[in-house]
Amino acid sequence: MLETKVVCIQCGREYALSAAISGCETCDGLLEVKHDLEALKGVITREWAEKRRVERGFPNGSGVWRWRELVAPFPNEAIVSRNEGNTNLYEDARLAKWAGLENLWLKHEGENPTGSFKDRGMTVGISHANWIGAKYVACASSGNTSASLAGYAARAGLKALTFIPSGKVALGKLSQTMAYGAKTVQVEGSFDDALELVRRVSKEKGVYLVNSLNPFRLEGQKTIIFEALQQLDWQAPDWIVVSGGNLGNTSAFGKALWEMRELGLIGEKLPRIATIQAEGASPFYQYYRSEFTRFKAQKPETVATAIRIGNPVNLAKARRAIEWTDGVVDMVTDTEIMEAKAVLDRSGIGGEPAAGATLAGVRKLREKEIIGKGDRVVAIMTGHILKDADSIVNYHSNPANPGANPLVQMAGTLDDLMKLLEEN
Ligand SMILES: Cc1ncc(COP(=O)(O)O)c(C=O)c1O
Ligand SMILES: N[C@@H](CCOP(=O)(O)O)C(=O)O
């Protein structure tokens, strides 16, 4: 019987697996799930992973639950899954060339059931809520967490409550959240204000919180890295690049790499994590620039509303991930984000603005020669192109934008049309 525990990374206090808490009750530190890695050495191997990968059906058809010994030991009957994960790892020579690289892969987490990486964490959070008999699940969101929560709660028959920053959530995400049936409360202010509210509701009303403060969320998101390493036939890349907001992914990726090395599935030298923030929402970047000596929350502003976060809750775990992997943190402007997104979309792969931020960050780190021309780079595309249609139409409606593809208005006869087509 594997010994899996929930512990506070700050004071070491342990909690039962069935505890529905999202922060340490002693010191308010971050909680994390500790697996019995010693017992798993020699059990979880590349051969074991390959056998699991080719199995179909529940639970090994899920790109999360096929790794359950490294995720969460919930009983199968508690698991709420939509066969999430199993996302493509694209190798694209055109995008590599645009970024100044020879080897670039894009891991597309927008191919998950609700269109973002959140589903990897949500299947675990909602399964935990289901297992312990929670009736109400809640989150604050800039759109993808609420869409994922609403979808998985609907599958589980749980009531969902989401708090979103008023007017700052892309329509694709808002429509999912409403359509899947979550009670959606618009809050004046930022995502950070909404998160403060939902943490109080969770504490005072005992509502189950599924933001990335919930340690089970990150256990699911670790499988992005497990899966990408397996897709690369365990030839670990030099870099893993991802856009950062609340820093759940940065934290999860560091833990995933550390566990893979402990289990002997990858070598001593870990891939370096590069977290990319939007210039107008870059508190982690400023903290990194201060050599992790000074943190200051920001009033966030960026076109990439998914990462419009000024006070990331996973700061301590994300710092640990950057230090563990000798990683870096950088930032990109909104112009760089949208121009990179246009290139990403034009490649036929596509992604929401936060995915554009990742690609823009890869190019920037290459230009700064922090990423070498021959380095092997995996860029995580965190959300689907359809999530933020407004940003696309706005960009392409301005012919001055690089790569703009404005609508053509046709008036008149067939001859006019033929003439028009010749001109364009
Ligand atoms: C599409 C997208 N990309 C990136 C991020 C940033 O991820 P994290 O909050 O784990 O840093 C988020 C959410 O925060 C997101 O929704
Ligand atoms: N971009 C996120 C913000 C919240 O992140 P979480 O990982 O802490 O839930 C969102 O889509 O809401």
Side-chain angles (χ1 to χ4, degrees), residues 116-118 122 139-146 173 191 195 210-213 217-218 221 245-249 305-307 309 313-314:
S116 83
F117 71 87
K118 304 289 182 181
M122 203 54 72
C139 74
S141 183
S142 58
N144 280 323
T145 293
S146 60
K173 307 172 185 183
F191 161 80
L195 185 60
V210 283
N211 281 101
S212 58
L213 268 172
R217 274 276 314 276
L218 304 194
Q221 290 168 218
N246 225 8
L247 303 178
N249 262 345
T305 52
I307 53 176
I309 295 173
V313 293
N314 293 292

Side-chain angles (χ1 to χ4, degrees), residues 69-89:
E69 291 83 353
L70 279 175
V71 170
F74 304 150
N76 279 354
E77 54 273 18
I79 291 175
V80 181
S81 171
R82 294 183 60 184
N83 268 10
E84 47 288 316
N86 307 304
T87 59
N88 283 303
L89 182 70

Side-chain angles (χ1 to χ4, degrees), residues 20-237:
I21 49 164
S22 50
C24 181
E25 292 170 336
T26 304
C27 70
D28 203 27
L30 294 173
L31 303 179
E32 81 174 355
V33 179
K34 267 208 179 326
H35 300 283
D36 192 348
L37 295 182
E38 275 311 307
L40 290 169
K41 278 179 184 167
V43 175
I44 293 190
T45 62
R46 295 180 182 183
E47 296 70 27
W48 170 93
E50 187 51 25
K51 267 181 64 194
R52 284 277 176 96
R53 186 187 66 81
V54 298
E55 289 178 34
R56 289 282 169 266
F58 177 81
N60 295 335
S62 161
V64 171
W65 295 104
R66 73 165 66 103
W67 299 94
R68 54 193 172 281
E69 291 83 353
L70 279 175
V71 170
F74 304 150
N76 279 354
E77 54 273 18
I79 291 175
V80 181
S81 171
R82 294 183 60 184
N83 268 10
E84 47 288 316
N86 307 304
T87 59
N88 283 303
L89 182 70
Y90 297 99
E91 189 170 10
D92 189 291
R94 282 178 300 175
L95 292 179
K97 186 161 180 267
W98 179 84
L101 291 168
E102 289 165 2
N103 307 289
L104 174 64
W105 290 267
L106 298 96
K107 179 72 175 155
H108 210 318
E109 290 301 299
E111 296 172 349
N112 275 293
T114 73
S116 83
F117 71 87
K118 304 289 182 181
D119 293 345
R120 297 236 193 199
M122 203 54 72
T123 182
V124 189
I126 294 294
S127 297
H128 185 244
N130 199 29
W131 179 47
I132 65 174
K135 290 288 169 282
Y136 237 116
V137 289
C139 74
S141 183
S142 58
N144 280 323
T145 293
S146 60
S148 184
L149 163 66
Y152 278 82
R155 297 301 303 146
L158 297 177
K159 288 199 178 84
L161 172 65
T162 71
F163 294 86
I164 60 172
S166 189
K168 291 288 178 194
V169 173
L171 213 49
K173 307 172 185 183
L174 184 58
S175 55
Q176 285 178 291
T177 306
M178 295 167 75
Y180 285 137
K183 176 69 68 197
T184 306
V185 179
Q186 296 202 91
V187 172
E188 284 314 311
S190 68
F191 161 80
D192 307 286
D193 301 315
L195 185 60
E196 210 173 297
L197 197 60
V198 76
R199 290 180 77 172
R200 278 184 42 209
V201 168
S202 171
K203 259 205 175 75
E204 288 164 27
K205 303 287 180 202
V207 169
Y208 185 91
L209 185 64
V210 283
N211 281 101
S212 58
L213 268 172
N214 181 324
F216 295 108
R217 274 276 314 276
L218 304 194
E219 291 309 300
Q221 290 168 218
K222 288 184 330 185
T223 66
I224 298 169
I225 300 306
F226 296 165
E227 191 172 278
L229 288 171
Q230 190 173 24
Q231 286 169 305
L232 289 170
D233 201 19
W234 303 100
Q235 303 304 304

